[in-house]
């Protein structure tokens, strides 16, 4: 069952209906267990930085915490949205502190089922922000599924890989190095948690479709999955390397859950 609040107060229909047509704002998604979230500081950083860019003002971290606590204290999938509260001031070009929508649904658990993806030429608007412009993501995901794939992996005009429809991608090099792709994309909170705790050789570099035959593993990461194996990209098969995936998952688990 979905539950939602706006600025810490149970949301009414009048609060929610305008959001269906707004199209301007940003958000972050997380898994809460017993009132705690791994990497919650990364989520607060994301909301603060994006709000400053989009609204000129950020909601104080403690206020964000209060809004989340007012909505849920136990186990849940939680999404925190920042959206325009005062349209007149916003359209006049003044800095406007955004309103905070928190919505919850049943908690989700990670999947270890491999996925097969295809590449799609696409780049998100303001890719460094988890913004509300999601139509392109949904469109490419849907048509990948229609054509028999599980999801879409985005590339630019030169075939450089960036991110998936709602996830980051990691690769395993032939020599056992974990590759963090470099491209315009969203730096996921899960990716940050893994990077800060991962043990083993890593490198940051651009990865193109042309490089896929030289790699021996691929995985997706998002707010639910620390390391879900990708078994094929455009039909190019990747073996499931359980040892590598286990190290990625262990890096995530090494992040201590933070009290909201």
């Amino acid at each position: 069952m979905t539950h939602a609040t706006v600025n810490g107060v149970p949301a009414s229909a009048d609060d929610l209906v305008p959001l269906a047509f707004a199209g301007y704002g940003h958000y972050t998604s997380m898994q809460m267990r017993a009132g705690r979230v791994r990497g919650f500081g990364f989520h607060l950083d994301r909301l603060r930085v994006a709000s400053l860019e989009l609204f000129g003002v950020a909601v104080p971290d403690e206020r964000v915490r209060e809004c989340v606590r007012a909505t849920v204290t136990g186990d849940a999938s939680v999404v925190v949205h920042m959206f325009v509260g005062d349209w007149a001031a916003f359209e006049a070009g003044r800095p406007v502190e955004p309103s905070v929508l928190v919505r919850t649904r049943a908690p989700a658990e990670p999947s270890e089922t491999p996925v097969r993806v295809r590449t799609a030429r696409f780049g998100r608007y303001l890719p460094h922000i988890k913004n509300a412009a999601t139509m392109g993501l949904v469109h490419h995901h849907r048509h990948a599924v229609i054509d028999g794939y599980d999801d879409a992996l985005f590339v630019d005009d030169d075939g450089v890989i960036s991110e998936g429809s709602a996830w980051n991608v990691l690769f395993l090099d032939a020599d056992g190095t974990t590759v963090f792709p470099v491209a315009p994309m969203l730096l996921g909170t899960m990716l940050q948690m893994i990077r800060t705790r991962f043990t083993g050789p890593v490198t940051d570099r651009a990865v193109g479709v042309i490089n896929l035959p030289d790699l021996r593993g691929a995985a997706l990461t998002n707010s639910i999955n620390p390391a879900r194996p990708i078994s094929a990209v455009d039909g190019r098969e990747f073996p499931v390397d359980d040892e590598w995936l286990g190290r990625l998952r262990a890096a995530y688990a090494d992040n201590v859950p933070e009290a909201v």
Side-chain angles (χ1 to χ4, degrees):
M1 180 177 179
T2 298
H3 179 57
T5 64
V6 172
N7 297 325
V9 177
S12 67
D14 288 341
D15 293 324
L16 298 178
V17 168
L19 295 179
F21 304 97
Y24 191 94
H26 65 95
Y27 65 101
T28 194
S29 305
M30 64 194 79
Q31 291 297 313
M32 178 184 287
R33 300 293 184 270
R36 294 177 175 270
V37 176
R38 296 184 195 272
F40 190 64
F42 291 124
H43 291 282
L44 291 175
D45 290 344
R46 166 187 281 174
L47 294 173
R48 186 186 325 107
V49 172
S51 287
L52 289 173
E53 182 168 346
L54 295 185
F55 301 105
V57 180
V59 177
D61 289 355
E62 184 53 38
R63 179 59 180 150
V64 175
R65 290 178 181 273
E66 291 172 356
C67 290
V68 175
R69 290 195 298 262
T71 310
V72 59
T73 57
D75 297 353
S77 298
V78 181
V79 182
V80 181
H81 301 256
M82 298 292 177
F83 67 97
V84 180
D86 184 345
W87 272 103
F90 179 78
E91 291 179 337
R94 297 197 295 273
V96 176
E97 182 174 302
S99 289
V100 184
L101 167 67
V102 180
R103 61 184 177 91
T104 71
R105 59 179 184 272
E109 297 300 330
S111 173
E112 297 183 7
T113 302
V115 296
R116 303 176 66 87
V117 304
R118 74 170 180 193
T119 55
R121 188 173 298 178
F122 180 73
R124 294 188 305 108
Y125 183 67
L126 297 178
H128 59 291
I129 294 177
K130 195 174 181 71
N131 63 72
T134 60
M135 180 176 176
L137 312 179
V138 175
H139 176 78
H140 282 291
H141 170 81
R142 179 173 185 270
H143 281 274
V145 172
I146 289 172
D147 292 339
Y149 298 85
D150 295 303
D151 213 328
L153 176 64
F154 301 138
V155 301
D156 66 11
D157 290 341
D158 297 318
V160 176
I161 293 169
S162 56
E163 59 190 339
S165 65
W167 40 273
N168 288 116
V169 63
L170 293 170
F171 293 104
L172 181 63
D173 215 340
D175 65 359
T177 299
T178 297
V179 182
F180 290 78
V182 174
M185 61 181 172
L186 179 70
L187 183 58
T189 55
M190 181 66 78
L191 194 68
Q192 294 178 73
M193 282 189 278
I194 290 172
R195 186 57 187 269
T196 58
R197 299 289 182 174
F198 187 75
T199 58
V202 301
T203 186
D204 299 271
R205 72 165 187 263
V207 178
V209 174
I210 195 172
N211 304 125
L212 292 178
D214 302 323
L215 301 169
R216 65 179 178 92
L220 68 80
T221 73
N222 59 18
S223 63
I224 299 171
N225 296 284
R228 185 172 183 180
I230 296 174
S231 59
V233 178
D234 288 345
R236 195 282 184 205
E237 302 285 339
F238 289 104
V240 175
D241 189 315
D242 290 324
E243 190 276 333
W244 176 57
L245 295 168
R247 287 192 289 126
L248 293 173
R249 293 166 186 151
Y252 160 67
D254 200 35
N255 288 264
V256 178
E258 304 172 39
V260 173

